[in-house]
């Protein structure tokens, strides 16, 4: 299926089809120099099958994890293109998760003042959220994403088959971003989540409580419903981005859970918590107690963390650097009814109180 997205500056297709990575040669214009950006955690065969479809492929593999979304790797991509003689008619393709997409997209936005960019996301998190909408960035001085550009891809290929090789923890982290959209925009989607994570008949609910969180991860149910989860998330994201490409208003809702989440992610030891896990923690203080209860039941099944043990002062300090900060206040998204949201300007003291609920 093809979902067309039309944000203000450019319209492009999101191709959602099992096996589409193998068909990239027919879906993308690759008869030119192509910088393929992947990471060491992505099976090599994905980048090599794409390379086989390109006229002049150059594969650049970055390290796995958020700490690699940095200016050094950004420079490495630009220098590689320059050394290989890339010109304005050549292109960049990301084959990986959100880190790859953000870094490769930003390099594409800057090289020769912009070359074509295509995204083939291989994690659930990037398939449901980060691969569309045109946010690209790198981290700087321990802060998430302060340097970047809005730069829309030319096409996005979403192949649910590639998720088969994804570890369960990555799958859960991606589901956190899908949950974010359900909580704020779509009550029916949230109930769908609750249904698919329900313990199956025969599973002992009392025993479940004794087990390590995530041990009962309902992998089969998730995989059975994965395309539905991707599609429902993308429809929400498309709708938001089309109304507010540059995050002047509505798009801020997609940052639900991200203010505290980014603070945690910046302070936690490098790559110890995934982005989706930090967002999962960050959503909890922004919900009414009733919604928090419902979310916690889902987190328990998915093995998502509900708190973390970090220095609260450091997390608060990091939140102060958030891009969303304006005149010492940050717009936060809260909800007390599933499928709805409210925006509020929060000051340092209010944010600290919220963060203290989950940073212990
Ligand atoms: N991931 C949030 C956004 O794209 O706005």
């Amino acid at each position: 299926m093809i979902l067309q997205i039309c944000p203000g500056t450019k319209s492009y297709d999101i191709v959602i089809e099992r096996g589409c990575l193998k068909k990239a040669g027919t879906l993308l214009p690759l008869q030119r120099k192509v910088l393929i950006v992947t990471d060491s955690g992505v099976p090599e065969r994905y980048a090599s099958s794409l390379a086989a479809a390109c006229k002049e492929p150059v594969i650049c593999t970055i390290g796995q994890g958020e700490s690699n979304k940095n200016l050094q790797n950004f420079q490495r991509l630009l220098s590689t293109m320059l050394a290989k003689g890339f010109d304005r008619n050549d292109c960049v393709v990301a084959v990986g998760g959100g880190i790859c997409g953000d870094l490769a997209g930003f390099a594409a936005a800057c090289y020769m003042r912009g070359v074509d960019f295509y995204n083939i996301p291989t994690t659930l998190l990037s398939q449901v959220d980060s691969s569309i909408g045109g946010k690209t960035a790198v981290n700087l001085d321990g802060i998430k994403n302060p340097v970047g550009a809005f730069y829309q891809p030319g096409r996005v290929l979403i192949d649910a088959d590639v998720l088969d090789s994804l570890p369960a923890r990555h799958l859960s982290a991606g589901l956190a971003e899908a949950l974010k959209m359900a909580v704020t925009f779509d009550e029916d989607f949230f109930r769908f989540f609750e249904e698919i994570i329900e313990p199956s008949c025969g599973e002992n609910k009392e025993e479940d409580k004794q087990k390590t969180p995530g041990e009962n991860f309902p992998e089969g149910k998730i995989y059975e419903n994965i395309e539905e989860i991707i599609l429902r998330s993308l429809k929400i994201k498309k709708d938001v981005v089309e109304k507010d490409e540059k995050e002047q208003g509505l798009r801020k809702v997609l940052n639900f859970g991200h203010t505290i989440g980014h603070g945690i992610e910046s302070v936690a030891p490098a790559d110890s918590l995934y982005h989706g896990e930090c967002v999962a923690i960050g959503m909890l203080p922004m919900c009414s107690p009733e919604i928090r209860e419902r979310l916690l039941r889902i987190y328990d099944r998915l093995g998502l963390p509900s708190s973390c043990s970090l220095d609260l002062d450091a997390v608060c300090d990091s939140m102060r650097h958030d891009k969303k900060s304006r005149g010492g206040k940050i717009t936060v998204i809260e909800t007390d009814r599933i499928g709805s949201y409210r925006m509020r300007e929060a000051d340092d003291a209010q944010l600290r109180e919220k963060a203290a609920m989950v940073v212990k």
Side-chain angles (χ1 to χ4, degrees):
M1 117 163 250
I2 290 187
L3 210 58
Q4 200 186 37
I5 172 161
C6 311
T9 50
K10 178 173 175 180
S11 129
Y12 55 96
D13 292 342
I14 307 161
V15 178
I16 307 159
E17 185 185 320
R18 284 191 180 270
C20 66
L21 169 62
K22 291 196 185 109
K23 294 196 335 203
T26 60
L27 295 167
L28 303 177
L30 301 174
Q31 292 312 301
R32 46 185 163 165
K33 289 192 171 118
V34 181
L35 183 77
I36 299 170
V37 183
T38 188
D39 79 55
S40 53
V42 177
E44 273 178 44
R45 62 181 186 280
Y46 297 164
S48 44
S49 105
L50 179 70
C54 302
K55 187 170 172 217
E56 287 184 64
V58 178
I59 299 179
C60 225
T61 305
I62 59 163
Q64 194 181 11
E66 187 69 33
S67 57
N68 292 287
K69 205 173 88 175
N70 57 34
L71 281 173
Q72 290 73 28
N73 278 326
F74 171 68
Q75 180 174 5
R76 189 178 142 212
L77 301 188
L78 298 178
S79 299
T80 303
M81 286 193 273
L82 199 60
K84 298 283 179 187
F86 275 56
D87 67 29
R88 276 207 171 133
N89 299 309
D90 296 318
C91 70
V92 176
V93 186
V95 183
I99 293 154
C100 255
D102 279 14
L103 187 64
F106 189 39
C110 296
Y111 188 72
M112 303 276 168
R113 300 204 177 94
V115 293
D116 289 346
F117 171 57
Y118 304 97
N119 205 341
I120 309 182
T122 61
T123 61
L124 182 61
L125 185 136
S126 54
Q127 293 195 347
V128 297
D129 186 21
S130 67
S131 66
I132 71 158
K135 279 191 179 173
T136 72
V138 291
N139 303 330
L140 181 68
D141 296 341
I143 305 297
K144 284 265 304 177
N145 302 331
V147 183
F150 284 100
Y151 193 68
Q152 301 294 343
R155 210 167 217 212
V156 180
L157 307 188
I158 296 192
D159 181 351
D161 278 352
V162 303
L163 301 178
D164 293 350
S165 56
L166 201 66
R169 189 174 159 205
H170 270 285
L171 206 57
S172 288
L175 291 170
E177 289 280 15
L179 265 172
K180 162 195 87 177
M181 303 205 222
V183 173
T184 45
F185 287 107
D186 189 342
E187 187 181 9
D188 189 52
F189 187 22
F190 190 83
R191 285 215 203 90
F192 172 79
F193 263 112
E194 292 184 314
E195 276 161 30
I196 61 177
I197 59 102
E198 260 309 292
S200 320
C201 298
E203 276 187 53
N204 183 333
K205 294 187 190 183
E206 276 315 302
E207 238 177 48
D208 279 357
K209 288 189 194 133
Q210 318 289 317
K211 290 182 182 168
T212 329
E215 205 173 303
N216 296 312
F217 183 67
E219 199 162 346
K221 289 262 200 72
I222 301 290
Y223 277 116
E224 268 167 45
N225 292 284
I226 203 76
E227 282 168 294
E228 172 93 15
I229 293 170
I230 294 169
L231 194 59
R232 290 177 87 143
S233 306
L234 287 179
K235 283 186 173 159
I236 294 171
K237 176 117 190 208
K238 165 184 151 68
D239 196 43
V240 171
V241 170
E242 284 180 343
K243 291 191 175 111
D244 178 21
E245 181 189 11
K246 301 270 171 79
E247 201 171 298
Q248 297 303 300
L250 182 67
R251 191 165 178 173
K252 291 182 186 173
V253 181
L254 296 179
N255 295 327
F256 177 58
H258 282 61
T259 302
I260 293 175
H262 278 175
I264 291 172
E265 199 172 353
S266 300
V267 172
D271 306 320
S272 58
L273 282 169
Y274 295 162
H275 174 70
E277 294 174 331
C278 297
V279 170
I281 297 172
M283 287 194 281
L284 293 171
M286 301 301 174
C287 297
S288 63
E290 295 71 28
I291 298 179
R292 202 173 306 132
E293 273 299 298
R294 287 170 77 179
L295 270 177
L296 284 171
R297 273 200 294 277
I298 299 179
Y299 287 10
D300 188 46
R301 284 287 279 177
L302 298 183
L304 284 168
S306 52
S307 66
C308 58
S309 158
L310 292 171
D311 178 21
L312 181 60
D313 290 331
V315 172
C316 292
D317 198 41
S318 166
M319 287 194 293
R320 250 174 246 125
H321 288 98
D322 198 287
K323 293 183 298 312
K324 301 175 280 298
S325 167
R326 222 173 164 172
K329 292 198 169 183
I330 294 186
T331 308
V332 293
I333 309 301
E334 296 172 317
T335 181
D336 47 22
R337 187 172 54 80
I338 299 277
S340 75
Y341 59 84
R342 66 169 180 266
M343 285 188 204
R344 181 166 73 88
E345 300 295 307
D347 61 23
D348 283 355
Q350 290 162 329
L351 272 175
R352 187 185 177 87
E353 195 181 318
K354 293 276 187 193
M357 293 169 69
V358 286
V359 178
K360 297 172 178 180

